Amino acid sequence: MFFTSGAAALVYQVLFAKELTLVFGSTAAAAFTVLATFLGGMAIGSLIGGTVAARVTRPVFV
């Protein structure tokens, strides 16, 4: 399951980078946008996850 979801995420990342290359006209700008979006999503997810874990009495169970 982990392998499949990781492979799907990699496929999506490559497809988004290819599509953004057509929009921006530059591979570097497209790669930067994909990377910034990924890291921003990780930051928002950790913020939400930390807030939820702080409110729950049994965070490992949740």
Side-chain angles (χ1 to χ4, degrees):
M1 189 165 157
F2 289 120
F3 176 77
T4 305
S5 67
L10 181 61
V11 168
Y12 283 132
Q13 181 180 357
V14 170
L15 290 176
F16 286 143
K18 296 287 184 185
E19 290 293 323
L20 286 174
T21 300
L22 296 174
V23 172
F24 292 135
S26 169
T27 305
F32 172 75
T33 304
V34 170
L35 181 63
T37 304
F38 173 75
L39 292 178
M42 293 287 283
I44 291 170
S46 69
L47 180 68
I48 293 170
T51 304
V52 169
R55 292 182 183 173
V56 175
T57 58
R58 294 173 42 189
V60 175
F61 180 72
V62 172

